[in-house]
Amino acid sequence: MAKELPACPVEITLQLIGNRWKVLIMRDLLEGTKRFGELKKSVGSITQKVLTQNLRDMEENGLVIRKVYAEVPPRVDYTLTEVGYSLKSVLDSMIEWGTSYKNKAE
């Protein structure tokens, strides 16, 4: 995490999780460790390439731990780090707001 961060805290948060895929990946990893294939299924219409790019970026930013097992076929697990898990309250707030908005819109 040697990148220079923006001065604005909101911008920092958006830089780390500011796209649809990262938020959905985090949502699924809040439940616990998942394999690549499980994430691909649970996140939805994400391509393998985009999932890989987002996971690498999240790993580089200290949000996700990638564990590779020396097996055939190879097995890779992804888990939120303590820093990644600390964003739980942000995602919980998004869930609460989205639920409220949906209920008003119906």
Side-chain angles (χ1 to χ4, degrees), residues 13-67:
T13 306
L14 286 173
Q15 184 175 304
L16 294 174
I17 63 164
N19 76 41
R20 164 189 180 186
W21 301 121
K22 288 178 184 172
V23 172
L24 295 177
I25 291 166
M26 290 192 66
R27 173 201 66 189
D28 293 344
L29 289 177
L30 282 169
E31 299 171 3
T33 300
K34 293 211 183 295
R35 293 177 71 175
F36 185 89
E38 292 175 307
L39 280 172
K40 186 159 179 348
K41 277 185 194 170
S42 65
V43 170
S45 61
I46 192 169
T47 65
Q48 185 167 330
K49 178 182 176 184
V50 171
L51 179 58
T52 299
Q53 288 172 337
N54 279 279
L55 285 166
R56 284 184 182 155
D57 191 44
M58 292 171 75
E59 183 181 13
E60 183 180 307
N61 287 311
L63 301 176
V64 169
I65 295 171
R66 177 178 184 260
K67 185 170 183 184

Side-chain angles (χ1 to χ4, degrees), residues 30 87-97:
L30 282 169
L87 287 159
K88 182 182 184 320
S89 62
V90 174
L91 269 67
D92 287 345
S93 293
M94 291 173 73
I95 291 167
E96 186 178 321
W97 188 90

